[in-house]
Amino acid sequence: MSKSNKIEHRVLKTTAVSFLSTGLSIILQLITVPICLRYWGKSTFGTWLAISAAYTMLRTIDGGFTSFVGNKLNILYHKDQVKMRQVMASAVWGVILLGSLQIIIVLILYLTHSMNLLVDTHDANITTRQAMLGLVIMSITWILSGSYIGILHRFLIPVGMLYQLLWWMLLLQFSQSLAIFISAYYQFSIFSTAIFFAGAQAFVYLTSAFYIKHKLPQYFPWLQGASFSVGIREIYNSTPMTINGMVQQFGNSGLVLLVSAMLGPAMVPVYSTMRTLSNLWTTVTNIVTAPLLPDIVRFHSTKEPDKFNAVHKTHMVLMGIIINLSLLIAYPLIELLYA
């Protein structure tokens, strides 16, 4: 099989999984609202959505760092694997420091009574203490499992395992949604739901870490040769990406918190449902882009501009066809979906 055929085959495989993931995501988002509203009610469901938004915004603190280090590993994989191993190991210090900052921010929110913005204080079954403890549990679980393993996930791109990574992300999406469905059906408290949700997420991340260790034993132990100074340097270098991620999340999760604060948590499900469809084509764009990432990184690292441009043109053609056709197909269904 020629190189071009291999690229096309990989793109087709990864695109198929991406479309499956997107289809599952749309279905889960559409059925989440009626299920959670029926068993939880507007107040509890709205409070959960607000806490989830706060949790997502907290993750932007280390999200830029994770993305930056992951991208750097992608480039170093093709240039200098000794330096790559050092950056991979030293990233643990960045995770620890930025994770500690997340916990401090949650405690400040609680001590300043800012958690009241996330909670329907008229509902006797929901307290700010529950909301705070739930946010702490989810944040700590993320720091101990998802943050560093998220860097390992990005490392799967240059080694040619994007297809496997997409399946893991699909499993993560399904397990998180299942945890919410079960919590709503059995009418768990916000605190119990946070534990259940965090546990499902941690299980997938930790299981994927064992999978990576099994498939890529030559890079284990990942933390060998960790340097505190290198970790600090990468935090500094990732600052622009972190700021960019925060700005983007303020436009997404920040609006959820604003709706919760100004209109009450009960209005959050309405806003989130209306926003679901508008975000669909952003997801579709990522589907088309993701399968090409390994080749884009490789051609950039090995300085092959002709091949890089060829991939870029392929991407533009795919974008034009898929996005426009999907818009035309979905247009007659929009009223039905919103109803």
Side-chain angles (χ1 to χ4, degrees):
M1 185 180 290
S2 65
K3 273 190 176 181
S4 61
N5 288 335
K6 285 182 179 179
I7 292 175
E8 291 174 3
H9 180 65
R10 184 168 63 246
V11 169
L12 286 174
K13 283 203 314 179
T14 51
T15 301
V17 178
S18 296
F19 269 112
L20 176 62
S21 178
T22 301
L24 177 65
S25 177
I26 294 170
I27 293 171
L28 290 174
Q29 288 182 55
L30 289 174
I31 67 175
T32 294
V33 176
I35 290 175
C36 290
L37 285 178
R38 178 178 179 181
Y39 295 103
W40 254 343
K42 289 188 293 184
S43 295
T44 303
F45 184 37
T47 298
W48 170 253
L49 289 175
I51 291 174
S52 297
Y55 168 63
T56 301
M57 289 189 67
L58 281 171
R59 283 175 49 180
T60 60
I61 294 174
D62 68 327
F65 173 78
T66 300
S67 298
F68 178 84
V69 172
N71 293 341
K72 192 167 186 176
L73 294 178
N74 288 346
I75 295 174
L76 290 175
Y77 176 82
H78 300 285
K79 289 185 174 181
D80 186 348
Q81 294 215 0
V82 174
K83 187 176 180 181
M84 180 201 74
R85 292 294 304 273
Q86 185 186 39
V87 172
M88 181 189 290
S90 303
V92 69
W93 287 112
V95 168
I96 292 172
L97 294 174
L98 295 175
S100 301
L101 178 59
Q102 291 181 49
I103 301 302
I104 291 172
I105 291 175
V106 175
L107 294 177
I108 291 174
L109 289 174
Y110 179 69
L111 294 174
T112 57
H113 305 289
S114 299
M115 296 296 289
N116 291 335
L117 298 176
L118 308 180
V119 176
D120 189 347
T121 53
H122 297 96
D123 191 330
N125 296 320
I126 307 172
T127 65
T128 54
R129 180 179 174 81
Q130 272 191 15
M132 188 276 291
L133 290 176
L135 197 53
V136 168
I137 288 292
M138 293 195 320
S139 297
I140 290 177
T141 306
W142 168 254
I143 294 162
L144 296 178
S145 59
S147 189
Y148 186 79
I149 297 175
I151 294 174
L152 298 179
H153 283 177
R154 288 180 173 272
F155 179 61
L156 293 179
I157 295 175
V159 299
M161 295 177 63
L162 177 60
Y163 178 71
Q164 291 87 335
L165 173 59
L166 291 175
W167 276 109
W168 279 109
M169 292 299 95
L170 192 150
L171 177 61
L172 176 64
Q173 180 182 231
F174 178 77
S175 63
Q176 289 175 329
S177 298
L178 183 62
I180 294 172
F181 293 155
I182 293 174
S183 298
Y185 181 77
Y186 288 103
Q187 299 181 4
F188 288 174
S189 67
I190 291 296
F191 177 61
S192 299
T193 302
I195 295 176
F196 199 29
F197 178 88
Q201 178 178 265
F203 174 78
V204 175
Y205 271 107
L206 293 174
T207 306
S208 69
F210 283 108
Y211 175 82
I212 295 171
K213 176 181 177 295
H214 173 71
K215 289 293 183 179
L216 302 170
Q218 66 272 32
Y219 297 105
F220 189 82
W222 303 306
L223 304 183
Q224 186 174 9
S227 168
F228 182 77
S229 60
V230 172
I232 294 295
R233 186 183 67 208
E234 299 305 340
I235 291 178
Y236 173 78
N237 292 336
S238 67
T239 301
M241 189 170 286
T242 299
I243 294 173
N244 178 63
M246 287 181 174
V247 171
Q248 289 182 357
Q249 279 304 319
F250 273 116
N252 293 312
S253 300
L255 288 177
V256 173
L257 297 179
L258 185 62
V259 169
S260 178
M262 297 187 67
L263 303 177
M267 289 301 296
V268 175
V270 178
Y271 170 73
S272 297
T273 303
M274 295 294 290
R275 195 180 61 174
T276 297
L277 197 61
S278 65
N279 289 339
L280 171 61
W281 279 275
T282 301
T283 306
V284 173
T285 301
N286 293 333
I287 289 173
V288 179
T289 304
L292 300 171
L293 285 177
D295 302 297
I296 290 173
V297 171
R298 185 172 78 253
F299 295 148
H300 170 69
S301 301
T302 56
K303 301 189 184 305
E304 298 178 85
D306 293 338
K307 294 180 179 179
F308 185 94
N309 289 332
V311 172
H312 175 66
K313 290 176 182 177
T314 302
H315 174 260
M316 294 303 294
V317 172
L318 288 172
M319 287 286 289
I321 295 173
I322 294 173
I323 299 298
N324 290 327
L325 281 178
S326 62
L327 278 168
L328 290 173
I329 294 171
Y331 184 75
L333 304 173
I334 289 177
E335 185 177 357
L336 176 63
L337 290 174
Y338 271 107

